[in-house]
């Protein structure tokens, strides 16, 4: 942590400052509330986007950015103040003047104080820029002032945001693609697939994929988006799990808690499925499958766990 931070519209005082965006304090406390931009009269700042940029010091392989919301003051009407609504994540390698947009977010819902992780295909870069064109709800103590506000921004190294025990990685598939924002399977971003198995029953060697949320937080629901580029053998979705559990693990913990068990899940026929979790909390969320779904129609004897996207609320 402690990476240097630059920005085009930062407010600097005893509580707020660019440097506090990477100071390791994940919540807003007196003397270290985080980063805030100057104020605007409208949420729409597309004519003059607000940006903040982190210098990692050297080219680094990365595949996600985590945004920790401001937590000291609620927004007007409740929820989180200052969290961006429309924004991009851009990267730039050392020695280059060109930025590459690795993730575009439009219409981000209010995070209600929860850390948000934005994944993307692995990029090698020294500089990471968050650029906002639409700001979120003002804070309750300044109801007409729109700002970009965050308690912290962290950048995990590649391979740590999403882990899996049987992943297949190639130009179309990869474990980090379950967080890339693409909820359908398209060329270059089809989603996650495990290696293939000869049988749907993998109870002796369960297949799992795990997401690191960056910090302990409440987990209210998980939405699984099926693979959509190929149908299953006999129709429906390919690779959607039939018997599986959602498990959580706290920061620093070594044991997993099963938050929900699903048995005999019907084929979703291409539709996203949302699973509500009760009293679930943790930094790590693991999907663990013991029975796999239908093989894809183009490899009818190969069973896999396959998903286009995983959304966590």
């Amino acid at each position: 942590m402690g990476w240097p931070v630059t920005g085009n519209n930062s407010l600097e005082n005893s509580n707020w400052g660019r440097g506090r965006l990477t100071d390791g304090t994940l919540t807003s406390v007196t003397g270290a509330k985080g980063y805030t931009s100057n104020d605007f009269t409208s949420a729409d700042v597309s004519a003059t986007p607000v940006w903040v940029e982190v210098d990692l010091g050297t080219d680094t392989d990365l595949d996600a950015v985590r945004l920790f919301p401001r937590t000291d003051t609620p927004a007007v009407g409740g929820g989180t103040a200052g969290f961006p609504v429309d924004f991009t994540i851009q990267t730039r390698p050392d020695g280059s003047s060109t930025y590459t947009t690795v993730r575009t977010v439009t219409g981000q819902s209010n995070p209600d104080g929860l850390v948000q992780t934005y994944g993307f295909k692995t990029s090698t870069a020294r500089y990471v820029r968050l650029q906002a064109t639409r700001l979120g709800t003002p804070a309750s103590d300044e109801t007409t002032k729109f700002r970009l506000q965050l308690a912290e921004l962290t950048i995990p190294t590649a391979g740590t945001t999403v882990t899996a025990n049987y992943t297949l990685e190639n130009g179309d598939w990869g474990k980090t693609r379950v967080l890339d924002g693409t909820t359908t399977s398209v060329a270059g971003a089809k989603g996650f697939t495990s290696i293939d198995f000869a049988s749907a029953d993998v109870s002796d060697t369960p297949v799992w994929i795990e997401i690191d949320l960056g910090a302990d937080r409440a987990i209210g629901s998980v939405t699984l988006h099926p693979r959509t580029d190929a149908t299953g053998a006999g129709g429906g979705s390919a690779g959607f799990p039939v018997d599986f559990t959602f498990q959580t693990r706290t920061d620093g913990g070594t044991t997993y808690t099963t938050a929900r068990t699903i048995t005999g899940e019907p084929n979703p026929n291409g539709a996203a499925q949302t699973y509500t979790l009760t009293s679930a909390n943790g930094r790590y969320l693991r999907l663990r499958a013991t029975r796999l779904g239908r093989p894809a129609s183009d490899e009818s004897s190969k069973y896999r766990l396959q998903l286009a996207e995983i959304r966590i609320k």
Side-chain angles (χ1 to χ4, degrees), residues 19 25 51-52 58 69 71 85 100 113 116 127 145 154 160-161 168 187 212 220 261 304:
T25 305
W51 60 263
V52 62
T58 187
T71 61
V85 174
T100 298
Q116 303 295 304
Y127 303 95
K145 296 181 179 181
T154 66
T160 60
T161 311
L168 175 66
D212 177 359
T261 299
R304 305 178 188 267

Side-chain angles (χ1 to χ4, degrees), residues 102-105 118-121 172-174 176-192 223-228 307-311:
V102 294
R103 180 76 185 263
T104 299
V105 178
Y118 303 94
F120 43 84
K121 188 175 180 180
D172 285 318
W173 299 95
T176 61
R177 292 186 176 91
V178 295
L179 293 181
D180 67 2
T182 305
T183 57
T184 57
S185 302
V186 298
K190 290 186 177 181
F192 163 80
T223 300
L224 303 182
H225 294 262
R227 175 185 183 182
T228 61
L307 296 167
E309 185 87 352
I310 299 176
R311 292 283 176 90

Side-chain angles (χ1 to χ4, degrees), residues 142-155:
E142 46 178 23
T143 59
T144 61
K145 296 181 179 181
F146 294 84
R147 303 178 188 268
L148 173 62
Q149 297 179 313
L150 296 167
E152 188 82 355
L153 184 155
T154 66
I155 302 167

Side-chain angles (χ1 to χ4, degrees), residues 111-168:
D112 289 319
L114 299 177
V115 55
Q116 303 295 304
T117 300
Y118 303 94
F120 43 84
K121 188 175 180 180
T122 301
S123 176
T124 302
R126 173 175 174 173
Y127 303 95
V128 179
R129 176 176 288 196
L130 168 67
Q131 180 168 283
T133 54
R134 178 168 290 276
L135 306 177
T137 311
S140 58
D141 59 356
E142 46 178 23
T143 59
T144 61
K145 296 181 179 181
F146 294 84
R147 303 178 188 268
L148 173 62
Q149 297 179 313
L150 296 167
E152 188 82 355
L153 184 155
T154 66
I155 302 167
T157 56
T160 60
T161 311
V162 183
T163 53
N165 63 340
Y166 290 115
T167 182
L168 175 66

